[in-house]
Amino acid sequence: MTAILETKGIGIHFGGLRAVDNVSFTAEEGSITAIIGPNGAGKTTLFNLIAGFYTPTEGSVYFEGKDITKVKTFRRTDMGLTRTFQNINLFRDLSVMDNVLVGLHCKTKCDPISAMLSLPNKRKEEKKSREQVMETLAFLGLDHVAEEKAGSLSYGMQKNLEIARAMVSHPKVILLDEPASGLNTSDLDSLSKRVVAIRDSGITVVLIEHKMDVVMTISDKIIVLNFGKKIADGTPDEVSQDEGVIEAYLGKDDD
Amino acid sequence: MSTFNKIYKYSRIWVLLIVAILLPKWIPNLYYQGVVNTALIFAILSLSLNILSGCTGLFCVGFVAFYGIGAYGAAILATRFQWPILLCLLAGGVISMAFSLLLGLPTMRLRGMYFAVATLAFGEIMYQLFVNWVSVTGGSSGIKRIPTPNWFGVNFRKPENYYYILLVAAVIVIILTRNLINSRPGRAMLSIRENDIAAEAMGVDVPKYKMLAFAVSTFFAGVAGGLFAFYARYIDPTSFVNAESSAILAMMVVGGIGSISGSFIGGLVLSILPEMMRFLGNIRLVLYGLAVVVIIIFAPKGIGGAIEWIDGVLCGTIKVGQQSQAADRQAEVKE
Amino acid sequence: MVNFIQALIQGVAMGSLYGLIAIGYVLIYNAWGILNFAQGDMVMVGAFAVLVTHMRLGLPMWLAIPVALLICMLIGFLIEITAFRPLIDAIQQRRLIATIGIGIFLRNLVRVVFGADPYYFPPIFDNTPYKVGSLTIVPQNIWNMVIGFLLIGALTLFLKRTTMGKSMRATAQDREAARLMGINVKRSMSLTFIIASALGGLAGMLICPVFYVVPTLGTSMGNKGFSSALFGGISSDGGSMLGGIVLGLLEAIGATTISSAFQSSIAYAVLFLVLIFMPNGIFGKKESRKV
């Protein structure tokens, strides 16, 4: 297996705080990599570095062997690196359909002129896009609410919509930021199945998660962060026996 | 969906269009025809502004400048260079759009409030330019003897005839805007308004699409300016005082930000209403200010929100009580 | 050279008034997160208030100004509870339009009551120009400067030293945190609004003798005010005064060296450049983005 996503000694500090400090890890193509760690360990910050929302103060990010450290966020999406957000960043006043259609932005071409004149190429592309969106919505069990406003959905549905929006373009890598937070047990089960299905469809998954049972069952590899530093890295079995990890989590089993 | 819903859904556009076509027959005198014509121009302006503000959430407080640039551009090309009128209208739009690039490229990366202030400064500067650049704009005496179109042997000097030019223009702008909003670039703009961080994460080049929205909206504003110039046949800087910009903003917001029908109707209502209240004298402007505040506070989605709701009910897509369902889910999210 | 120095004095005098107006914008922006387009009209309200108390009611100046100030504060408070408080959680655009609506309302209400004709207002201070060498100095200008600076000093002391002022600053920085600290956020925000209105009104009173008093006075003064605020950096209290003076100087110098026709354009052109090259103003802090 080859590494599709890799960080080398990446770090960022805000003022004096080292939010992420010298973290190196790789995500193998076609695998599920989980990033875990206590609250404030710098997991989401690491995601923001990978997705390009922050510029690292040190180190670099590689995607398919190319250095993308200086590449803008939206270009990274173009290249096939998409993400979801922990604190749900949907387009609340747009319909579910439109939300996911925006997810196809990087895979479609329609320019403003042909859009305004509604030229045949626009209509053809639009029709194809809508079909593709419906497929993705069906996969996540959202096809029956396609015309409703995203903001009116339940919390669990909004979480799924985030995933739908990020995966509709069939990216090479998808970053899922706490997809399981706030879900009940039955939803958790279907989430695990979906994440595995996403991987099996050929999309590399990197996820941040607190729910250890989810992480342990689906991950191929686990990275553990604490205070911005990587403290362990390995298969679920290796990590669960790592002393540093047990220590970091001691007295912190709030999840 | 009942039969009534279906009939309504397929006939609503045609009924509206027929009413719009027959309207001049019912207008009692030239004065009111003039009011209606001006209202149409402002409705187009309000709709254009909506492409910028409604779609991307950017706030332009100097929009009248683009209207003015279009008017002067078209008028100068028609009077000095004798270009055909249709070409002048388009050229007015293009010139206006060129200015938006000039203003937008350096300011587009500014955060909302600062962009608004930059546009305000631009509006004021352009006004000064209209007044003081006498060799081009004619200064405060303006540009006179602007030709009127004479197409298909119809005399468009008559306001009741010019009305149809405006109507056609309005319909074209509405269709183009609607097509744009329901497309990839349009959705990219809407996503910026909704959540620019998520938009970026979905691969939307945020500054580019903001600029695009700005360019499209100023193009239409420029065309509206040209339409005004050929209608009035005389333009001077008083029509482009930057204070008018806030009037256009008010039309858009009262009509409903992000709503095509709303911003258009907002433009019509807020330009006709003060004229209807002319008998009240200066008090009408007091009431106007008050009405703006009251609508903002009590009708967050503006007139457009109300229209879309009624429309939804008549089409059968909204059932009474659906609102509360959404509210229930909302409560769940909050927990 | 003499003309130039004359212009400098004129510029600083006008600029300190701009600074006073600017402070109002800054205070409200920091507390409410929004540019109050009606702030300029508070300047006009201040001018008309003193016109009523002094010219119509015949109060002596030392009484007329405080009474007029009270009127401004009351009007400011009314605006706050009717157009600001109900919209505190609304989207930016609606809030901005509401302030524009209030501006239209105030301007036209005054026009209905007082008419559109300009009013003359007698000088508050002795108006005989002094000759210093070949310079002409008008006491009113000097007084405007002195009062401007004194007020800014007093305001700074109030914000930094008093409990009330401190809670106002805390509220401006982080409303939620301030609430948790037990600060009466609502009262702090109201107070900020009232103080901003009073400062705007006071600037209007000082302007009275310089300009004719007309209902549209607020529009031009408002634009000058928030331009100054942005020059200084809208997040910085102290920057406004300097921003105002910079603007005043630019205008005065521009008018004497280039052309008086373009006087107001100069201000906007500079504002434009500042926005492009220094989006946080001359003294403002950089605002970071949150993901």
Side-chain angles (χ1 to χ4, degrees), chain B residues 50-85:
Chain B
N50 192 34
I51 299 173
L52 176 70
S53 302
C55 293
T56 62
L58 281 174
F59 208 62
C60 181
V61 201
F63 206 61
V64 157
F66 296 101
Y67 173 59
I69 292 168
Y72 273 102
I76 290 168
L77 288 173
T79 51
R80 290 205 197 156
F81 301 95
Q82 280 83 41
W83 282 26
I85 285 172

Side-chain angles (χ1 to χ4, degrees), chain B residues 255-277:
Chain B
I257 300 173
S259 152
I260 296 181
S261 56
S263 53
F264 193 80
I265 291 165
L268 290 179
V269 170
L270 285 198
S271 15
I272 293 175
L273 210 60
E275 293 295 332
M276 305 284 262
M277 301 195 299

